[in-house]
């Protein structure tokens, strides 16, 4: 029974019967240093975009300051942010990637 133990998994199981889980936008932020080609590679590698889609989002971030890469459940979004940040730092780029609740 869902009320027997008030731990996270049981609370989650009860909640999902009432409302869908919250989704989070994964957002890339512009900076003056990360190469455009690197950002295109990030969008292709971690967000399954083709080169045309990736280039469009990269240019949107470059001109508008930010752009949405995708919308995911919390754990998936958090993993994307970690993977992008680790890949950028490993290549010594300051690229910023954040998540925000929809
Ligand atoms: N502004 C960067 C440049 O001129 C390109 C860039 C695009 C950086 C998107 C970050 O999220 C970003 N090289």
């Amino acid at each position: 029974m869902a009320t027997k133990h008030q731990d996270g998994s049981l609370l989650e199981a009860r909640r999902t019967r009432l409302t869908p889980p919250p989704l989070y936008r994964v957002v890339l932020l512009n900076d003056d240093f990360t190469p455009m080609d690197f950002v295109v590679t990030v969008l292709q590698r971690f967000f399954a975009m083709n080169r045309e889609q990736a280039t469009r989002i990269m240019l949107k971030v470059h001109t508008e300051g930010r752009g949405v890469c995708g919308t995911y459940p919390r754990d998936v979004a958090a993993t994307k942010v970690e993977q992008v940040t680790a890949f950028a730092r490993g290549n010594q780029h300051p690229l910023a990637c954040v998540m925000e609740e929809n």
Side-chain angles (χ1 to χ4, degrees):
M1 187 171 177
T3 52
K4 190 170 183 185
H5 303 290
Q6 293 295 311
D7 71 359
S9 60
L10 284 173
L11 289 171
E12 183 79 10
R14 294 186 68 200
R15 190 182 58 72
T16 54
R17 273 191 265 124
L18 303 173
T19 59
L23 295 176
Y24 291 77
R25 296 184 293 272
V26 175
V27 177
L28 275 186
L29 306 179
N30 190 37
D31 66 73
D32 292 337
F33 304 104
T34 305
M36 290 183 174
D37 274 356
F38 185 81
V39 179
V40 171
T41 296
V42 164
L43 290 164
Q44 291 184 267
R45 181 178 297 198
F46 298 106
F47 300 96
M49 296 182 194
N50 64 38
R51 192 158 187 89
E52 291 68 36
Q53 295 170 312
T55 300
R56 195 177 316 122
I57 299 297
M58 182 280 293
L59 286 173
K60 182 183 175 69
V61 177
H62 177 70
T63 57
E64 298 180 16
R66 50 176 280 146
V68 176
C69 309
T71 303
Y72 308 95
R74 184 180 57 206
D75 290 0
V76 177
T79 298
K80 302 254 181 223
V81 169
E82 283 177 10
Q83 290 175 330
V84 169
T85 302
F87 185 55
R89 296 303 170 273
N91 286 276
Q92 278 135 24
H93 297 312
L95 180 63
C97 182
V98 299
M99 60 191 275
E100 42 188 49
E101 191 170 355
N102 240 353

